[in-house]
Amino acid sequence: MLRAAIERKCLSTSDKYGILDDHFALSMACQQSLTSLLSLMTAYREEHDYTILSNLIGIAAKVLRIVSDAAPELLNDLKLFLINLFQYSAERLGWDPKQGESHLDAMLRGELLTALSVLGHEITLDEGKKRFHLFLKDRNTPALPPDLRRAVYVAVMQNVSKSNRSGYDSLLQVYRETDLSQEKTRILGSLASCPDPEIIREFLNFLFSSEVRSQDAVFGLSVSNEARETAWNWLQHNWDQICKTYGAGFLITRFISAIVSPFSSYEKAEEVEHYFASRMKPYIARTLKQSIERVHINAAWVRSIQSEKNLAETVRELAYRKY
């Protein structure tokens, strides 16, 4: 009934936001099925509001991550469903800013195109690469305004690998040439989205080089799903240096939360607890406890998803639905 009310556009913005947010929270708490959450998400396909769509994008990213652990065989169909979900709004906004559009539309364009890039949407990836090459030739090209840069950088990084690293090297060059702090942090976050663990290992080591201000390193810690284990191994290997660099400051806690929280197995939670048992400091205790709790929540969610009878059927049906 709620889904029908959203589709008929007879609810207020705050109600539509609240319904989506609550349903996601209930699904994560294993009180509602992921199947019903995905069905509800379809009702937001033609939504225009920035706050709702931005939240939908965030929820989609979390669902993608949890399904990659709970039911990896559904990943391709889930990506196709999410691409279909966001394409309507992305096409409505287009790539280029429109005369008189609101600041929120400009922000939404960037978020949607970033999401489509991470989902591997070929048309978005191709356009992103094309605009990046124009930008490399001319840093002032109107083809790449600041609002679009993260989306384009992320698009470039999706095809980077150890054997095809030109996009990574080019983006690093842009990082080295810019004096703008905001541009540097934007690039660090984009480089972290690379799906190749080898490149991520190299990038994480770069975060500790003299080229990155110590307070900026935290912007590069939210690595791609495929590189979580690489980041965890890197954290353990470099923990003494991290402690030396950041001391008791709050930034050290960002290393723990960004790298530990995305995991979703009880075994990993145990491994993290075991590692930090002999390295416990009062200033990391709270963040460590919260991060391990998050892993437990994720692990319970994975188990709940694995017991859902109709999930595979629903995901397949949503992926190939004709709108």
Side-chain angles (χ1 to χ4, degrees):
M1 286 168 68
L2 289 170
R3 190 171 77 230
I6 294 162
E7 283 170 339
R8 290 201 311 273
K9 299 183 172 42
C10 44
L11 294 179
S12 69
T13 298
S14 57
D15 278 344
K16 286 187 289 184
Y17 183 96
I19 289 164
L20 176 64
D21 213 45
D22 289 349
H23 208 108
F24 170 65
L26 287 165
S27 178
M28 197 198 280
C30 311
Q31 301 295 313
Q32 284 279 4
S33 68
L34 180 64
T35 308
S36 67
L37 173 63
L38 294 174
S39 299
L40 176 73
M41 285 165 75
T42 61
Y44 292 87
R45 187 171 177 271
E46 296 185 14
E47 181 56 56
H48 284 207
D49 182 79
Y50 169 77
T51 52
I52 295 174
L53 278 171
S54 185
N55 193 28
L56 187 68
I57 290 166
I59 287 170
K62 287 166 189 154
V63 165
L64 194 66
R65 189 161 59 202
I66 209 74
V67 169
S68 74
D69 289 335
E73 70 283 0
L74 302 181
L75 219 45
N76 288 339
D77 282 347
L78 180 64
K79 285 180 178 178
L80 190 55
F81 159 59
L82 294 173
I83 285 168
N84 290 336
L85 187 62
F86 297 134
Q87 237 177 321
Y88 173 86
S89 295
E91 284 169 7
R92 177 177 68 82
L93 291 169
W95 274 84
D96 298 303
K98 293 180 175 57
Q99 192 73 41
E101 72 177 8
S102 73
H103 173 57
L104 292 177
D105 272 353
M107 281 165 60
L108 183 58
R109 176 183 293 109
E111 288 187 32
L112 282 164
L113 293 171
T114 301
L116 286 170
S117 294
V118 171
L119 290 166
H121 182 234
E122 286 300 334
I123 296 168
T124 304
L125 294 177
D126 289 345
E127 183 66 24
K129 281 183 282 190
K130 198 170 86 185
R131 286 175 184 251
F132 186 62
H133 288 306
L134 290 171
F135 176 67
L136 290 179
K137 287 182 192 144
D138 170 17
R139 294 291 195 269
N140 298 313
T141 177
L144 197 50
D147 285 331
L148 278 187
R149 285 189 191 170
R150 178 164 165 75
V152 164
Y153 297 163
V154 167
V156 167
M157 289 308 296
Q158 296 317 293
N159 290 319
V160 165
S161 65
K162 204 71 180 158
S163 57
N164 175 29
R165 51 176 298 135
S166 65
Y168 176 75
D169 293 332
S170 298
L171 197 44
L172 219 47
Q173 191 58 37
V174 177
Y175 176 88
R176 286 169 175 143
E177 286 173 12
T178 185
D179 297 326
L180 299 172
S181 172
Q182 190 184 9
E183 177 73 341
K184 281 187 183 290
T185 57
R186 183 190 288 133
I187 292 170
L188 292 176
S190 305
L191 289 165
S193 72
C194 181
D196 187 312
E198 286 293 307
I199 292 285
I200 290 295
R201 185 180 291 110
E202 183 182 327
F203 166 64
L204 290 169
N205 288 331
F206 171 73
L207 290 179
F208 268 177
S209 71
S210 58
E211 294 186 71
V212 179
R213 296 188 310 172
S214 57
Q215 67 266 39
D216 286 351
V218 293
F219 292 102
L221 297 175
S222 296
V223 301
S224 61
N225 224 23
E226 297 86 347
R228 286 177 300 178
E229 197 62 46
T230 300
W232 167 234
N233 290 332
W234 175 85
L235 178 77
Q236 294 171 85
H237 187 69
N238 291 284
W239 183 246
D240 291 342
Q241 192 188 339
I242 292 168
C243 290
K244 211 166 108 185
T245 306
Y246 296 94
F250 80 99
L251 285 174
I252 196 168
T253 61
R254 293 276 293 274
F255 282 81
I256 296 170
S257 57
I259 290 173
V260 172
S261 299
F263 285 113
S264 56
S265 74
Y266 294 110
E267 295 77 19
K268 187 57 73 177
E270 219 171 279
E271 189 188 318
V272 171
E273 277 184 287
H274 179 72
Y275 177 78
F276 280 106
S278 61
R279 296 168 177 84
M280 186 51 75
K281 299 276 190 292
Y283 49 83
I284 65 166
R286 186 163 172 258
T287 299
L288 185 62
K289 184 170 180 280
Q290 288 171 335
S291 299
I292 289 167
E293 271 173 18
R294 169 67 55 204
V295 178
H296 282 152
I297 289 166
N298 290 341
W301 196 15
V302 162
R303 277 192 187 170
S304 170
I305 289 168
Q306 287 171 338
S307 68
E308 287 188 34
K309 299 269 188 296
N310 304 321
L311 181 62
E313 197 184 313
T314 301
V315 171
R316 200 165 300 115
E317 190 243 304
L318 292 173
Y320 294 99
R321 176 181 286 188
K322 292 281 174 275
Y323 288 98

